[in-house]
Amino acid sequence: MSGNSFGTLFRLTTFGESHGAALGVVLDGVPAGIELETACIQKELDRRKPGQSAVATARQEADQVEILSGVFEGRTTGTALAMLIRNKDQHSKDYSDIARTFRPGHADFGYTAKYGFRDPRGGGRSSGRETAARVAAGAVAKKFLEKFSIRARACAVEIAGIPAPVTDWDEVENNIVRAADPEAAKKMEEAILAIRLKNDSCGGKVYCEITGVPAGLGEPVFDKLDALLAHAMLSLGAVKAISFGDGFEAARQKASEHNDAYLGGGKWSSNHSGGILGGISNGNVITFELAVKPTPSISQIQKTVDTEGNAIDLEIKGRHDPCIVPRIVPVVEAMAHLVIADCLLMQKQNPFR
Amino acid sequence: MSGNSFGTLFRLTTFGESHGAALGVVLDGVPAGIELETACIQKELDRRKPGQSAVATARQEADQVEILSGVFEGRTTGTALAMLIRNKDQHSKDYSDIARTFRPGHADFGYTAKYGFRDPRGGGRSSGRETAARVAAGAVAKKFLEKFSIRARACAVEIAGIPAPVTDWDEVENNIVRAADPEAAKKMEEAILAIRLKNDSCGGKVYCEITGVPAGLGEPVFDKLDALLAHAMLSLGAVKAISFGDGFEAARQKASEHNDAYLGGGKWSSNHSGGILGGISNGNVITFELAVKPTPSISQIQKTVDTEGNAIDLEIKGRHDPCIVPRIVPVVEAMAHLVIADCLLMQKQNPFR
Amino acid sequence: MSGNSFGTLFRLTTFGESHGAALGVVLDGVPAGIELETACIQKELDRRKPGQSAVATARQEADQVEILSGVFEGRTTGTALAMLIRNKDQHSKDYSDIARTFRPGHADFGYTAKYGFRDPRGGGRSSGRETAARVAAGAVAKKFLEKFSIRARACAVEIAGIPAPVTDWDEVENNIVRAADPEAAKKMEEAILAIRLKNDSCGGKVYCEITGVPAGLGEPVFDKLDALLAHAMLSLGAVKAISFGDGFEAARQKASEHNDAYLGGGKWSSNHSGGILGGISNGNVITFELAVKPTPSISQIQKTVDTEGNAIDLEIKGRHDPCIVPRIVPVVEAMAHLVIADCLLMQKQNPFR
Amino acid sequence: MSGNSFGTLFRLTTFGESHGAALGVVLDGVPAGIELETACIQKELDRRKPGQSAVATARQEADQVEILSGVFEGRTTGTALAMLIRNKDQHSKDYSDIARTFRPGHADFGYTAKYGFRDPRGGGRSSGRETAARVAAGAVAKKFLEKFSIRARACAVEIAGIPAPVTDWDEVENNIVRAADPEAAKKMEEAILAIRLKNDSCGGKVYCEITGVPAGLGEPVFDKLDALLAHAMLSLGAVKAISFGDGFEAARQKASEHNDAYLGGGKWSSNHSGGILGGISNGNVITFELAVKPTPSISQIQKTVDTEGNAIDLEIKGRHDPCIVPRIVPVVEAMAHLVIADCLLMQKQNPFR
């Protein structure tokens, strides 16, 4: 209730700071009987982990996951499923300079206002590193959803202003920016490296689609499916906007253009709405797009103040992502899987259906 | 938990269908001692109620609110605060034709998939009419936040493709489209009327800003302030997208352009983030923009199927809004007030601060 | 979350004060498709309403219930189900004397400490009158559980020290004390009337059993079925203790005496545990007993202080129950039905079972 | 929401099975700034850990706790506080015989009905070993409450039918049964050992009092303080009953005997209610008593059936507590501290008080 949990029936509670002892997650409500190996969780974590490529931070973390509870002889037991990821490569000293400053674009000032002080080691709890725990949890949700042939996939559709069409989903893991188009991917990679050379960083857009979702998911009126997805995605610190289906373009359409009509047999005339009408899935593919801001930690000198209010020139050292978009792709998928798993359980609980 | 409640400490639970007996809301967690008159709630409801102008539905509802509990001698008691709004002008027969059809752009199909059947009278629970209960609740939150000089204001910044700058907030209630610019308002009004003549409808964009919010609101990691606002706003059926601060533009900025730096004394170098960094308010003005889709109910003939799957030509009769943007403005403010009130209570509960 | 809601999936939120405009409840999570008439709710309310007999308060309230939402053409729709009960016979002036006193045995002092002031009209929100809303909600749960042949029944097993065996459940509604034994009932009635003559009141014990509950309900580790039932029952202001199965006698048994053993085919060797082992129903009858304290409002003079701390002699006027046990019986059943309905939905949500 | 979490603002989520890799807990909502050392948590765990004495199981577990997150430089940060306890002495083979049986007095049958199968190693999640995580969490709550001079203390007041008066709280840790009277303690110890010799086990009663609780804690109407405490205590598998203040005796008192009257200046005429009136603390000492059943695992032969329904003679091997009362005492204190900490935060969040 104080922010470290998400979901109603398929519910995760995460913990851990960027440079603390460990990250982890407790999943409550995982149905009993799902076959679950550590390997399928590790696979997702490997996609998110740092140190993968030239466009990501050089921090080295194996992000090895250990299942602590909730699995017996390879199957989920229905009880609390906990997973642990130890932090290894912490370099706490790298951050000693900035303990007394408010880094631009970061939550430092807000956390200090909120708690009276803050853990300055790599951003503490506000670091994007906490998303590793989400990815571990999302892997369990993904495994569960496989039984229903439901799957979320995301990719980079714009980085540093360079657009990438969704040409081929199979290409996403073949390039280090996670675009679904090889040529665009190459340009994106070059753009990021050029920006990194200038000690700067860039943002981009992530597209996600969820296939196989049956009609009827989402709960009126406050837990509409799009509301839950928006909550999930905006809970990622780097995400600044979300749009479903035609998104902001819908604001310029007339109903005669925008309305999706049901054709029977699970078919729709169009999908301007992104698969969600009135907050309830309609059986169409669910689609949304996210705006990802540029990573705030850059090594060029920035103006800010210290905790006493004195103006200073800040130079952030350490190892940072020049563009977080490629690494946020598996996190977006994880959150999508978690939301859908929760909504599916909510829907399945009706004993008359 | 099943979707009709929202918030943790300042929590509302709503009920009621478009053509049922009544709409209402129970507010749990309203602090004791707030001076509250029915009039201040009625005032907000009057801004949302139908039948106000030529650009809104002709349905006539006084939307008279009655406080049923939680107020004693003009002050909130701290116990459950319930409010009731009776439906009057229901015209149920207007909807009899569409009981067996799936209206394009509506939740009809999703509700049927979800529940096995649906209340077809004006959309039942899926109707935007439920937002009256939110506005009543939001008026209480607004009153509470006045003590802290916190205020949310929204206005139409685009309708039918016509943009309106935020020239003067005092103009918003002087025109029937609720734009903050008189000239743009006039053009918007004309555009809506032209579209209505063609039996069509249009959407637009709503801008909202919240002033006076102290730094430190929002809870890491899942209940980030922007995540909660996104959840709240996307729980409005007509909203298809939300963006904070620079929104999708942030995806094209570099960190050196995008980063907001603290200058001390409550001042920031810029507000690209929309007043929220890492999910926590930073003391700056909170800003976001919403995409509102065109009202799906239009009276021109639309292709769809009936509940048996037969293709039909549907002509929706009844009285509908050619553009919902003007009437959604007070709803957006209400939801913003509710979120901030909840976050403020979450923050105040720390006994050491 | 602030105390006016109960349950996770089958969730009620109540409102209303003893002498306010109305009492009511919103039920969230009621499955769609349950046939529901006002009459079946009214029937339960009639069992709880005041003014029924010589052993109850003389306050006259019809406690007429109105369904405001969530039902369409006699069936639940799956959306929020709200019910309203208007207060009629309020006699607010009867309570004017005690506005500035802290009545012994009442929550007056606690509410004042909590909220800074209190609604003194008949106890406001702290009055047992709020349980009318629970009974209305419980009637819906009861109707739902009928589909699964699950039923909770309660009766008075002790009043003013007079025990009543559970001889015949069919007798419970045939006597005004709601005992399951006609002879004991007569003695109980006489005892209450004698105590009332002395301007005093008495308590008693209520026994409840729930039949038809399948094995497997309750959630480890905090939402054990007995924990939820205890929560539900102790949320009744007059209840001071709860014991399951052999209760406090279990503390004196050895495991060789106490252990219930499964015999196969749904049979158990014994039921010392009251149908719940390790917090999970085992398919046996669920049994528990409650201690109900004497109604604190009595008309003999009592020593107390006023809100300024001056010692006073308090004489409470008005119409009070000399023994609340008979009227609490339907409330206990209502809460039992609500808990079981919620646990049943929690269990049904597992898509693999 | 699925049972592994408890509390609203000061909220714990636990995980772990008796013979799994580890037990642990995530605490959400711990206020920032509390000085917290591992030692103060370890101290409480040492009171609960197995292998302490002749009246407890011989299983050897150091129950070493590790703080994984939420503490920086010795102070809580306000973010999720996770703690881990590795299982060491698991002896899984001891339990291989009973994998296919339903042990009398245990949750085996219920878990199998619930989940379709169960983790048979020492009871899996249903084992009382999970309470180690509660004790760790309770130690944090205790530390927090020290700032407000609030403290819960429990002791054994009856074991195997032998009563122990609350003579001297300082004696509780001086005897292995945790009674507050040395002489009674000796008799209790002898009784347990005699029962153990017969391969049997016994139960008892635990008394708990909470001092320093301000008036005003608890939330009407469902989250009454006694309802929350009852929920907390009945969530312990061995607890079968709870009574507040005079408990079941209250059922035999008249209001003229039972009513507690306020005398001003924080004094009350009596404390029959156990410090809670109408569900709200009144500033008096909070008192309650629990019935603890005999440990179900005994080594004498018991009749039961196997999972195929065949009657068998079961002989449970392994190391079990002949009486769990002494070890449940610190668990009761932990749960009491957790409930009060949560209620205190709920109360503190009112910005007007």
Side-chain angles (χ1 to χ4, degrees):
Chain A
M1 305 286 164
S2 295
N4 295 294
S5 297
F6 187 72
T8 298
L9 291 176
F10 199 103
R11 181 169 176 87
L12 70 157
T13 300
T14 70
F15 61 88
E17 297 98 36
S18 177
H19 289 56
L23 301 163
V25 60
V26 186
L27 263 169
D28 200 353
V30 179
I34 303 173
E35 290 170 22
L36 190 70
E37 304 288 332
T38 303
C40 82
I41 299 157
Q42 192 61 52
K43 186 183 161 196
E44 296 297 324
L45 281 168
D46 288 348
R47 295 175 66 211
R48 196 215 72 95
K49 74 178 178 186
Q52 297 174 70
S53 80
V55 298
T57 169
R59 179 172 171 176
Q60 293 297 323
E61 288 285 358
D63 280 355
Q64 286 289 342
V65 68
E66 178 189 10
I67 298 176
L68 295 177
S69 69
V71 177
F72 177 61
E73 296 184 344
R75 282 191 300 167
T76 57
T77 61
T79 59
L81 197 164
M83 294 180 280
L84 190 72
I85 301 160
R86 293 273 173 188
N87 285 323
K88 299 287 172 70
D89 183 18
Q90 300 165 6
H91 281 213
S92 276
K93 55 192 164 187
D94 284 351
Y95 294 88
S96 55
D97 289 353
I98 56 170
R100 261 167 290 167
T101 67
F102 298 124
R103 293 170 299 164
H106 274 287
D108 296 354
F109 183 74
Y111 268 61
T112 305
K114 184 170 196 65
Y115 298 118
F117 72 111
R118 67 186 166 95
D119 175 353
R121 301 167 300 164
R125 184 69 173 146
S126 75
S127 164
R129 182 147 176 71
E130 57 87 6
T131 61
R134 306 185 189 216
V135 169
V140 180
K142 182 179 182 179
K143 186 82 182 174
F144 167 58
L145 293 174
E146 279 174 8
K147 305 252 180 190
F148 303 90
S149 302
I150 299 171
R151 181 179 177 187
R153 303 190 282 202
C155 64
V157 289
E158 186 181 301
I159 284 180
I162 300 165
V166 183
T167 310
D168 184 354
W169 281 106
D170 292 337
E171 288 293 331
V172 174
E173 295 300 312
N174 293 339
N175 60 78
I176 61 176
V177 293
R178 291 208 169 87
D181 183 272
E183 283 184 53
K186 207 166 183 181
K187 289 182 201 161
M188 286 168 160
E189 183 182 338
E190 287 162 7
I192 297 172
L193 294 176
I195 285 164
R196 193 181 63 170
L197 271 179
K198 294 181 185 160
N199 298 324
D200 214 338
S201 73
C202 62
K205 294 180 190 170
V206 171
Y207 169 76
C208 182
E209 67 181 36
I210 320 175
T211 53
V213 178
L217 299 203
E219 301 293 321
V221 298
F222 294 108
D223 287 348
K224 289 185 165 78
L225 183 51
D226 36 1
L228 295 177
L229 286 166
H231 188 149
M233 300 304 158
L234 269 297
S235 78
L236 301 169
V239 172
K240 297 304 289 179
I242 187 169
S243 65
F244 291 87
D246 291 352
F248 278 100
E249 281 310 300
R252 293 186 175 164
Q253 296 167 349
K254 295 187 185 64
S256 56
E257 301 162 320
H258 181 80
N259 281 354
D260 301 322
Y262 188 57
L263 303 177
K267 304 274 185 215
W268 288 81
S269 65
S270 54
N271 193 15
H272 298 290
S273 66
I276 302 172
L277 281 170
I280 311 296
S281 64
N282 66 11
N284 224 328
V285 183
I286 292 172
T287 64
F288 58 88
E289 200 168 273
L290 305 171
V292 178
K293 73 173 189 176
T295 328
S297 288
I298 51 176
S299 52
Q300 60 180 260
I301 287 171
Q302 297 182 88
K303 302 275 180 199
T304 184
V305 291
D306 64 20
T307 51
E308 273 78 45
N310 304 308
I312 55 167
D313 285 347
L314 175 71
E315 189 185 349
I316 301 178
K317 289 165 189 163
R319 306 148 300 173
H320 303 286
D321 292 270
C323 181
I324 200 65
V325 171
R327 290 182 61 209
I328 214 172
V329 162
V331 183
V332 167
E333 291 175 6
M335 293 308 294
H337 286 132
L338 287 162
V339 169
I340 299 296
D342 193 29
C343 290
L344 192 69
L345 289 187
M346 286 298 292
Q347 177 67 356
K348 290 280 172 189
Q349 51 86 4
N350 185 339
F352 300 142
R353 299 197 56 72
Chain B
M1 307 287 166
S2 294
N4 294 294
S5 296
F6 187 73
T8 298
L9 291 177
F10 199 103
R11 183 169 175 87
L12 71 158
T13 300
T14 70
F15 60 89
E17 298 97 35
S18 178
H19 289 57
L23 302 163
V25 60
V26 186
L27 265 169
D28 202 352
V30 180
I34 303 173
E35 290 172 21
L36 189 71
E37 303 289 329
T38 304
C40 83
I41 299 158
Q42 192 60 52
K43 185 184 161 193
E44 296 298 323
L45 282 168
D46 289 348
R47 294 175 66 209
R48 196 216 72 98
K49 75 177 177 186
Q52 297 174 70
S53 79
V55 298
T57 171
R59 179 173 172 176
Q60 293 296 323
E61 289 285 356
D63 280 355
Q64 286 288 342
V65 68
E66 178 189 10
I67 298 175
L68 294 177
S69 69
V71 177
F72 177 62
E73 296 184 344
R75 282 191 298 168
T76 57
T77 61
T79 60
L81 196 165
M83 294 180 280
L84 190 72
I85 300 160
R86 293 273 175 188
N87 285 324
K88 298 289 171 70
D89 184 18
Q90 301 165 6
H91 282 214
S92 276
K93 56 193 163 187
D94 284 354
Y95 295 88
S96 55
D97 289 353
I98 57 169
R100 262 167 291 165
T101 66
F102 298 124
R103 294 170 298 165
H106 275 285
D108 296 355
F109 182 74
Y111 268 61
T112 305
K114 183 170 197 65
Y115 297 117
F117 73 110
R118 67 187 165 94
D119 175 353
R121 300 167 301 164
R125 184 69 172 146
S126 76
S127 165
R129 182 148 175 72
E130 55 87 7
T131 59
R134 306 185 189 215
V135 169
V140 180
K142 183 179 181 179
K143 186 81 183 174
F144 166 58
L145 293 174
E146 280 175 8
K147 305 254 180 190
F148 302 90
S149 301
I150 299 171
R151 181 178 177 187
R153 302 189 283 202
C155 63
V157 290
E158 187 181 301
I159 284 180
I162 298 165
V166 183
T167 311
D168 183 355
W169 280 106
D170 291 337
E171 287 294 329
V172 174
E173 294 301 311
N174 292 339
N175 61 77
I176 61 177
V177 292
R178 289 207 169 89
D181 182 274
E183 283 183 54
K186 207 165 182 182
K187 288 181 201 161
M188 286 169 160
E189 183 183 339
E190 287 162 7
I192 298 172
L193 294 176
I195 286 165
R196 192 180 66 170
L197 271 179
K198 293 179 186 164
N199 298 323
D200 214 337
S201 73
C202 61
K205 294 181 189 169
V206 171
Y207 168 76
C208 181
E209 66 179 37
I210 319 174
T211 52
V213 177
L217 300 203
E219 300 293 322
V221 295
F222 294 108
D223 287 348
K224 289 185 165 79
L225 184 51
D226 36 1
L228 295 177
L229 285 166
H231 188 150
M233 299 304 157
L234 269 298
S235 78
L236 301 170
V239 172
K240 296 304 289 180
I242 188 168
S243 65
F244 291 86
D246 291 352
F248 279 100
E249 281 310 301
R252 295 187 174 163
Q253 296 166 350
K254 296 187 184 63
S256 56
E257 299 162 320
H258 181 78
N259 281 355
D260 301 321
Y262 189 56
L263 303 178
K267 304 275 183 211
W268 288 80
S269 65
S270 54
N271 193 15
H272 298 290
S273 66
I276 302 172
L277 282 170
I280 310 296
S281 65
N282 65 10
N284 224 327
V285 182
I286 292 171
T287 65
F288 59 87
E289 200 168 274
L290 305 170
V292 178
K293 75 175 188 175
T295 328
S297 288
I298 51 175
S299 53
Q300 60 180 261
I301 288 170
Q302 298 181 88
K303 302 276 180 199
T304 184
V305 293
D306 64 20
T307 52
E308 272 77 46
N310 304 307
I312 56 167
D313 285 346
L314 175 71
E315 188 185 350
I316 301 177
K317 287 166 191 163
R319 306 149 299 174
H320 302 286
D321 293 87
C323 180
I324 201 65
V325 171
R327 290 182 60 208
I328 215 172
V329 162
V331 183
V332 168
E333 292 175 5
M335 293 310 293
H337 285 131
L338 287 162
V339 169
I340 300 295
D342 194 28
C343 291
L344 191 68
L345 290 186
M346 286 299 290
Q347 176 67 357
K348 289 281 171 188
Q349 49 88 7
N350 186 338
F352 301 143
R353 298 196 58 72
Chain C
M1 306 291 167
S2 296
N4 296 294
S5 297
F6 187 72
T8 298
L9 290 177
F10 199 102
R11 182 171 176 85
L12 70 158
T13 300
T14 71
F15 61 88
E17 297 99 34
S18 178
H19 290 57
L23 301 162
V25 60
V26 185
L27 264 168
D28 201 353
V30 180
I34 303 173
E35 290 171 23
L36 190 70
E37 303 290 329
T38 304
C40 82
I41 299 157
Q42 192 61 53
K43 186 183 161 194
E44 297 296 325
L45 282 168
D46 289 348
R47 294 175 67 210
R48 197 217 69 96
K49 76 178 176 186
Q52 295 175 72
S53 80
V55 299
T57 170
R59 179 172 170 177
Q60 293 296 323
E61 288 285 357
D63 280 356
Q64 285 289 342
V65 68
E66 179 189 10
I67 298 175
L68 295 176
S69 69
V71 178
F72 177 62
E73 295 183 344
R75 282 192 298 166
T76 56
T77 60
T79 59
L81 197 164
M83 294 179 280
L84 190 72
I85 300 160
R86 291 275 174 188
N87 286 324
K88 299 288 171 68
D89 184 16
Q90 301 165 4
H91 282 213
S92 276
K93 55 191 163 189
D94 283 354
Y95 294 88
S96 54
D97 289 353
I98 55 169
R100 262 166 291 165
T101 67
F102 298 124
R103 293 171 300 164
H106 274 286
D108 296 354
F109 183 73
Y111 268 61
T112 305
K114 184 171 195 66
Y115 298 118
F117 72 111
R118 66 185 166 98
D119 175 353
R121 300 167 301 163
R125 185 67 173 147
S126 75
S127 165
R129 183 148 176 71
E130 57 86 7
T131 60
R134 305 185 189 215
V135 169
V140 180
K142 183 180 181 178
K143 186 83 183 173
F144 166 59
L145 293 174
E146 279 174 10
K147 305 252 179 192
F148 301 90
S149 301
I150 299 171
R151 181 179 176 187
R153 300 189 284 201
C155 64
V157 288
E158 187 181 300
I159 284 181
I162 300 165
V166 182
T167 311
D168 184 355
W169 280 106
D170 292 338
E171 287 294 330
V172 174
E173 295 300 312
N174 292 339
N175 60 76
I176 60 176
V177 293
R178 289 208 170 88
D181 182 273
E183 283 181 54
K186 208 167 181 180
K187 288 182 202 160
M188 286 168 160
E189 184 183 338
E190 287 161 9
I192 298 173
L193 295 177
I195 286 164
R196 194 182 62 172
L197 272 179
K198 293 180 187 162
N199 298 323
D200 213 337
S201 73
C202 62
K205 294 181 189 169
V206 171
Y207 169 76
C208 182
E209 66 178 39
I210 320 175
T211 53
V213 177
L217 300 203
E219 300 293 323
V221 296
F222 295 108
D223 288 349
K224 290 186 163 79
L225 184 50
D226 37 1
L228 295 177
L229 286 166
H231 188 149
M233 299 305 156
L234 269 298
S235 78
L236 300 170
V239 173
K240 296 304 290 181
I242 188 168
S243 64
F244 291 87
D246 292 351
F248 278 100
E249 281 309 301
R252 294 186 176 165
Q253 297 167 349
K254 297 189 182 62
S256 56
E257 300 162 320
H258 181 79
N259 280 356
D260 301 321
Y262 188 58
L263 304 178
K267 303 274 183 216
W268 289 80
S269 65
S270 53
N271 193 15
H272 298 291
S273 67
I276 302 171
L277 282 170
I280 310 296
S281 65
N282 66 10
N284 223 327
V285 182
I286 291 171
T287 64
F288 59 87
E289 201 170 272
L290 306 171
V292 179
K293 73 173 189 177
T295 329
S297 288
I298 51 175
S299 53
Q300 60 180 262
I301 287 171
Q302 297 182 88
K303 302 276 178 200
T304 184
V305 292
D306 64 19
T307 50
E308 271 78 45
N310 305 308
I312 55 167
D313 285 346
L314 175 70
E315 188 186 349
I316 301 177
K317 288 166 190 163
R319 305 148 300 172
H320 302 287
D321 293 270
C323 180
I324 201 65
V325 171
R327 291 180 60 208
I328 215 173
V329 163
V331 183
V332 167
E333 291 175 7
M335 293 309 294
H337 286 130
L338 287 162
V339 168
I340 300 296
D342 194 28
C343 290
L344 192 68
L345 290 186
M346 286 299 291
Q347 177 67 356
K348 290 281 171 187
Q349 49 87 6
N350 186 338
F352 299 142
R353 299 197 57 73
Chain D
M1 307 285 167
S2 295
N4 295 295
S5 296
F6 187 72
T8 298
L9 291 177
F10 199 103
R11 183 171 175 86
L12 70 159
T13 299
T14 70
F15 61 88
E17 298 97 36
S18 178
H19 290 55
L23 302 162
V25 60
V26 186
L27 265 169
D28 200 352
V30 180
I34 302 173
E35 289 170 23
L36 190 70
E37 303 288 331
T38 304
C40 82
I41 299 158
Q42 192 61 51
K43 186 184 161 194
E44 297 297 324
L45 281 168
D46 288 348
R47 295 176 65 211
R48 196 216 71 96
K49 75 176 177 188
Q52 297 175 70
S53 79
V55 298
T57 170
R59 179 172 172 176
Q60 293 296 324
E61 287 286 357
D63 280 356
Q64 286 289 343
V65 68
E66 179 189 10
I67 298 175
L68 295 176
S69 68
V71 177
F72 176 62
E73 295 183 345
R75 282 191 299 167
T76 57
T77 60
T79 60
L81 196 164
M83 294 179 282
L84 190 72
I85 301 161
R86 292 273 175 189
N87 285 324
K88 300 288 171 69
D89 183 18
Q90 300 165 7
H91 281 213
S92 276
K93 54 193 165 187
D94 283 354
Y95 295 89
S96 54
D97 288 353
I98 55 169
R100 263 167 289 165
T101 67
F102 298 123
R103 294 170 299 165
H106 274 288
D108 296 355
F109 182 74
Y111 268 61
T112 306
K114 185 170 195 68
Y115 297 118
F117 73 110
R118 67 187 166 95
D119 175 353
R121 301 168 300 164
R125 185 66 173 147
S126 75
S127 165
R129 182 148 175 72
E130 57 87 7
T131 59
R134 305 186 190 214
V135 169
V140 181
K142 183 179 182 179
K143 185 83 183 170
F144 166 58
L145 293 174
E146 278 174 9
K147 305 252 181 192
F148 302 91
S149 302
I150 299 172
R151 179 178 177 189
R153 301 189 283 201
C155 63
V157 287
E158 187 182 300
I159 284 181
I162 299 165
V166 183
T167 310
D168 184 355
W169 281 106
D170 291 338
E171 288 294 330
V172 174
E173 295 300 313
N174 293 339
N175 59 79
I176 62 176
V177 292
R178 289 208 170 89
D181 181 273
E183 284 182 52
K186 208 166 182 181
K187 290 181 200 160
M188 287 168 160
E189 183 182 338
E190 287 162 9
I192 298 173
L193 294 177
I195 286 164
R196 194 182 61 171
L197 272 180
K198 294 179 185 163
N199 298 324
D200 214 339
S201 73
C202 62
K205 294 181 190 170
V206 171
Y207 168 75
C208 181
E209 66 178 38
I210 320 175
T211 53
V213 177
L217 300 204
E219 300 293 322
V221 299
F222 295 108
D223 287 349
K224 289 184 164 79
L225 184 51
D226 36 2
L228 296 176
L229 286 166
H231 188 149
M233 299 304 156
L234 269 299
S235 78
L236 301 170
V239 173
K240 296 304 288 180
I242 188 169
S243 65
F244 290 87
D246 292 351
F248 278 101
E249 281 309 301
R252 294 185 176 165
Q253 296 167 350
K254 296 189 185 63
S256 56
E257 300 162 320
H258 181 79
N259 280 356
D260 301 321
Y262 188 57
L263 304 178
K267 304 275 183 213
W268 289 80
S269 65
S270 53
N271 193 17
H272 298 290
S273 67
I276 303 172
L277 282 170
I280 310 296
S281 64
N282 65 11
N284 223 327
V285 181
I286 292 172
T287 65
F288 58 87
E289 201 169 273
L290 305 171
V292 178
K293 73 172 190 178
T295 328
S297 288
I298 51 176
S299 51
Q300 60 181 260
I301 287 171
Q302 298 182 88
K303 302 275 179 200
T304 184
V305 292
D306 64 18
T307 52
E308 272 78 45
N310 305 308
I312 54 166
D313 285 346
L314 175 71
E315 188 186 348
I316 301 177
K317 288 165 191 162
R319 306 148 300 173
H320 303 287
D321 293 88
C323 180
I324 199 66
V325 172
R327 290 180 62 210
I328 215 173
V329 162
V331 183
V332 168
E333 291 176 4
M335 293 308 294
H337 285 131
L338 287 161
V339 169
I340 300 295
D342 194 28
C343 290
L344 191 69
L345 290 186
M346 286 299 290
Q347 177 66 357
K348 289 283 170 188
Q349 49 87 7
N350 185 338
F352 299 142
R353 298 199 57 72

